[in-house]
């Protein structure tokens, strides 16, 4: 979610006139070398999971090939086919829903359009696994929906299809992830669509042709980028697929490692999953480059550049297009979770909930602080020392968010297992697997990229002439950062910390495996209680996570209403 929000908020930067970069001040050679060595070391630590998997791939032997052949004959085809089918279904569905809603609120004008613009963002606050728990509780065989249908119409047996299936997972992902397409497409269309559609109308083009020949081609790069982000989230998900019993690569990684205790198979599956994600990431980056070109602001349009006003039945159709995704992706899941919560109010584990909340808040605050500090360090270094080594370090760290949690877990535990086998007395293995250090390490691997993108967004709005003026007045590097950069980066830094905080609160795969035994969190307990069919108790931590997720969504909607893309 955070990468989507940051991407949408920084797309407007492409429209600003670039400031000519000033030549950086030459530092002492030993200081430059020391700084670059430190940044490369930090990047190496954060890139360790990927490096460990690459090392495992390069070190294949007879046992590795035998494990791969065994998987190819048993589980691998199922993992691959299910993952591909799920991605195809989710990709088509989020493209349709996201594009339709973006067109509705951008191209057309109808009563309530302003409200629909921010209401369509609400599913961003719903973790996908919480939506899965909600629909399962309501639609399963013993749930209220099927019970009411059997009692009302005298039916027998199962009335509705089984929600715990691949199609159920696709349903959950569609109405949880469609904002990835909606927000990017809406941001792209809002730049030029109204003016160009008005020009096409003046040339005599009917509405259907204007949408087909003008609006959709403009939105195509944004749609591709949003679909790629949604598919990366789909492939990285563990909570939904494990709860629904869908055999995807992520579920296979955890099964191979935790159930079968086969580290070779887990590493191979994680490597294949990382390859799929790398392809999607390349597609997303390519689409983002095309999107920046397609959304160059042509100049301010006149008063005629307005959306098409709808009347009568068309207004109802527009509200149906905008209202159904919000209803299915946010309103109904929240109501479904409130029912078991209220029914079991007297037996809710309030004391334990307080401990889970404290653990979640402590981990999220620590990870947000460390990730933000690392992002500030990298962002400042990239500005002061724009050398190839520094750019490599920044780009390496920036890829962390695309690495699925299952890959992070395997990539961290592989070198730990290797070290423990060769040096049993070394304390590093215990620090990683028995304390919060390993968990914080995993969080930094995944979420430093979120903070880094926000900090880089802040630096991109800070002219380099400020640096030169400060140096002319005799300010050194520390004084420059403290008196010039920090006051102007404060809002971007706060946004970075907030987004990392929310993402860590909701993170499940790495927390589930790497947490210490006495470190249960809201996300972990919601998952475990739902898996044990204790959905009334699971509703309490699940809804708490939804409330936390609403914070950045409300800030984003506020920024959209003000028309300020940097208000967050």
């Amino acid at each position: 979610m955070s990468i989507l929000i940051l991407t949408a908020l920084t797309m407007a930067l492409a429209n600003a006139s670039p400031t000519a970069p000033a030549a950086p001040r030459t530092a002492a050679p030993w200081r430059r070398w020391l700084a670059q060595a430190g940044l490369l070391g930090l990047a190496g630590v954060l890139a360790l999971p990927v490096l460990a998997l690459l090392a495992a791939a390069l070190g294949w032997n007879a046992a590795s090939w035998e494990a791969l052949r065994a998987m190819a004959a048993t589980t691998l085809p199922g993992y691959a086919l299910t993952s591909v089918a799920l991605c195809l279904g989710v990709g088509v569905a989020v493209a349709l829903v996201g594009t339709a809603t973006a067109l509705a609120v951008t191209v057309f004008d109808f009563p309530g359009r302003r409200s629909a613009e921010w209401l369509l963002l609400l599913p961003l606050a719903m973790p996908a696994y919480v939506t899965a728990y909600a629909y399962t509780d309501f639609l399963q065989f013993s749930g209220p929906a099927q019970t009411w249908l059997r009692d009302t119409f005298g039916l027998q047996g199962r009335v509705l299809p089984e929600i715990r299936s691949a199609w159920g997972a696709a349903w959950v992902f569609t109405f949880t992830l469609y904002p990835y397409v909606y927000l990017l497409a809406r941001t792209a269309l809002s730049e030029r669509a109204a003016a160009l559609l008005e020009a096409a109308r003046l040339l005599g083009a009917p509405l259907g042709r204007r949408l087909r020949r003008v609006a959709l081609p403009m939105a195509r790069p944004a749609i591709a980028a949003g679909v790629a982000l949604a598919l990366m989230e789909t492939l990285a998900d563990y909570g939904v697929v494990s709860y629904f019993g869908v055999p995807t690569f992520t579920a296979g990684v955890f099964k191979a490692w935790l159930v079968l205790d086969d580290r070779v198979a887990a590493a191979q599956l994680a490597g294949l999953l990382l390859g799929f994600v790398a392809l999607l990431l390349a597609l997303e980056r390519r689409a983002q480059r095309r999107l920046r070109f397609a959304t160059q602001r042509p100049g301010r349009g006149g008063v005629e550049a307005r959306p098409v006003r709808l009347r009568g039945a068309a207004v109802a159709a527009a509200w149906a297009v905008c209202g159904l995704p919000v209803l299915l992706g946010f309103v109904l899941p929240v109501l479904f979770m409130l029912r078991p919560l209220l029914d079991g109010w007297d037996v809710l584990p309030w004391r334990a909930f307080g401990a889970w909340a404290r653990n979640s808040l402590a981990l999220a605050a620590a990870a947000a602080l460390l990730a933000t500090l690392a992002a500030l360090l990298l962002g400042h270094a990239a500005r002061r020392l724009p050398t190839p080594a520094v750019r490599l370090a920044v780009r390496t760290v920036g890829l962390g968010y695309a690495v699925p949690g299952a890959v992070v877990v395997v990539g961290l535990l592989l070198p730990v297992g290797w070290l423990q086998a060769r040096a049993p007395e070394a304390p590093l293995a215990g620090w990683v697997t028995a304390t919060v250090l390993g968990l914080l390490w995993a969080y930094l691997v995944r979420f430093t990229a979120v903070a880094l993108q926000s900090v880089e967004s802040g630096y991109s709005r800070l002219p380099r002439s400020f640096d030169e003026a400060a140096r002319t007045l005799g300010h050194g590097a520390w004084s420059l950062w403290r008196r010039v950069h920090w006051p102007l980066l404060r809002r971007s830094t706060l946004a970075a910390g907030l987004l990392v905080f929310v993402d860590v609160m909701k993170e499940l795969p790495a927390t589930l495996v790497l947490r210490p035994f006495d470190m249960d969190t809201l996300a972990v307990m919601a998952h475990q209680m739902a898996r044990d069919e204790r959905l009334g108790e699971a509703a309490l931590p699940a809804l708490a996570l939804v409330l936390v997720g609403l914070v950045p969504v409300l800030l984003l909607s506020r920024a959209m209403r003000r028309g300020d893309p940097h208000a967050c």
Side-chain angles (χ1 to χ4, degrees):
M1 181 186 76
S2 298
I3 281 294
L4 166 65
I5 293 176
L6 287 171
T7 301
L9 291 180
T10 57
M11 277 173 55
L13 296 176
N15 303 317
S17 299
T19 303
R25 185 179 182 181
T26 303
W30 69 270
R31 290 184 178 179
R32 180 184 292 268
W33 180 88
L34 185 62
Q36 294 182 9
L39 291 173
L40 288 175
L42 175 61
V45 169
L46 296 180
L48 180 63
V50 177
L51 297 177
L53 287 175
L54 291 177
L58 295 176
W60 276 21
N61 50 31
S64 302
W65 285 110
E66 183 62 30
L68 183 60
R69 284 195 294 268
M71 285 194 300
T74 54
T75 59
L76 186 58
Y79 292 149
L81 289 175
T82 304
S83 298
V84 171
L86 186 61
C87 285
L88 287 176
V90 172
V92 172
V94 297
L96 292 175
V97 176
T99 304
T101 51
L103 287 172
V105 300
T106 305
V107 178
F108 302 103
D109 187 19
F110 52 92
R113 179 172 69 95
R114 293 296 183 185
S115 298
E117 288 179 349
W118 67 267
L119 286 173
L120 285 164
L121 299 173
L122 290 180
L124 285 174
M126 294 290 297
Y129 53 83
V130 173
T131 304
Y133 307 155
Y135 275 109
T136 300
D137 177 63
F138 192 78
L139 298 178
Q140 63 184 343
F141 179 82
S142 59
Q146 296 203 49
T147 301
W148 180 82
L149 289 173
R150 286 193 295 267
D151 293 343
T152 303
F153 299 101
L155 303 175
Q156 299 293 328
R158 180 176 298 280
V159 181
L160 300 176
E162 176 58 57
I163 185 67
R164 296 188 185 185
S165 59
W167 79 263
W171 175 279
V172 169
F173 287 132
T174 296
F175 292 105
T176 304
L177 302 177
Y178 80 84
Y180 281 67
V181 178
Y182 160 73
L183 189 53
L184 293 182
R186 178 190 175 278
T187 305
L189 288 170
S190 63
E191 298 294 337
R192 290 176 57 186
L196 293 181
L197 286 170
E198 180 65 17
R201 186 189 68 81
L202 294 176
L203 293 174
L207 178 61
R209 188 176 182 184
R210 299 200 299 270
L211 295 178
R212 188 174 63 253
R213 301 292 297 273
V214 178
L216 289 179
M218 287 182 57
R220 193 177 298 124
I223 295 170
V227 169
L229 288 171
L231 294 186
M232 281 192 282
E233 291 288 341
T234 301
L235 286 175
D237 176 82
Y238 175 70
V240 175
V241 296
S242 65
Y243 186 62
F244 281 0
V246 180
T248 63
F249 277 112
T250 303
V253 169
F254 278 88
K255 181 179 180 181
W257 189 282
L258 300 176
V259 179
L260 303 178
D261 196 22
D262 190 341
R263 298 188 177 187
V264 175
Q268 291 172 343
L269 289 173
L272 292 172
L273 175 59
L274 190 60
F276 275 108
V277 172
L279 290 176
L280 292 173
L281 184 62
L283 172 64
E284 189 269 338
R285 292 294 175 90
R286 182 173 180 269
Q288 286 288 354
R289 287 195 296 270
R290 294 177 60 199
L291 183 59
R292 292 188 182 98
F293 174 78
T295 57
Q296 292 296 316
R297 194 185 300 268
R300 299 198 176 273
V303 295
E304 298 173 340
R306 297 175 180 175
V308 178
R309 180 171 294 277
L310 299 179
R311 302 181 186 278
V315 174
W319 260 109
V321 169
C322 297
L324 280 177
V326 179
L327 181 69
L328 298 174
F330 182 80
V331 177
L332 289 182
V334 170
L335 294 178
F336 292 163
M337 294 301 287
L338 283 175
R339 186 195 62 83
L341 178 69
L342 297 177
D343 289 345
W345 188 265
D346 295 335
V347 296
L348 290 177
W350 289 106
R351 180 173 299 179
F353 172 78
W356 307 334
R358 285 193 300 272
N359 292 337
S360 296
L361 292 172
L363 288 172
L369 177 61
L370 293 174
T372 304
L373 289 176
L376 286 171
L377 176 63
L378 290 166
H380 183 71
R383 186 179 179 89
R384 292 272 296 170
L385 300 172
T387 62
V390 173
R391 286 197 296 268
L392 175 63
V394 172
R395 289 177 182 176
T396 301
V397 174
L399 297 176
Y401 192 81
V403 181
V407 174
V408 172
V409 169
V410 174
L412 288 181
L413 293 182
L414 278 177
V416 170
W418 178 87
L419 177 63
Q420 193 171 24
R422 285 156 179 77
E425 71 283 355
L428 178 61
W431 291 346
V432 173
T433 58
T435 70
V436 297
L437 295 180
L439 194 53
L440 290 175
W441 190 358
Y443 290 155
L444 292 178
V445 170
R446 284 215 68 197
F447 302 125
T448 299
V450 176
L452 180 60
Q453 186 168 352
S454 182
V455 170
E456 287 183 326
S457 171
Y459 266 121
S460 67
R461 303 192 300 274
L462 184 59
R464 289 185 178 272
S465 58
F466 289 8
D467 299 20
E468 293 303 314
R471 290 168 189 157
T472 303
L473 295 174
H475 292 282
W478 168 247
S479 179
L480 169 65
W481 186 87
R482 180 174 58 87
R483 303 185 67 176
V484 178
H485 290 180
W486 170 245
L488 298 175
L489 291 175
R490 190 173 297 149
R491 297 178 71 186
S492 297
T493 304
L494 291 176
L498 172 64
L499 292 173
V500 175
F501 182 90
V502 173
D503 271 346
V504 171
M505 288 283 291
K506 298 188 296 184
E507 205 284 332
L508 179 61
T511 310
L512 194 63
V513 177
L514 296 174
R515 78 191 192 283
F517 290 111
D518 58 344
M519 205 65 167
D520 291 327
T521 65
L522 293 173
V524 168
M525 293 312 300
H527 174 73
Q528 291 185 346
M529 289 177 174
R531 185 185 58 188
D532 296 339
E533 299 300 330
R534 298 157 60 191
L535 287 171
E537 298 175 62
L540 182 61
L543 289 175
L545 293 174
V546 175
L547 289 176
V548 172
L550 279 174
V551 175
V553 173
L554 293 177
L555 291 177
L556 176 60
S557 64
R558 179 184 178 189
M560 292 171 58
R561 287 197 303 270
R562 289 183 175 181
D564 178 9
H566 310 302
C568 283

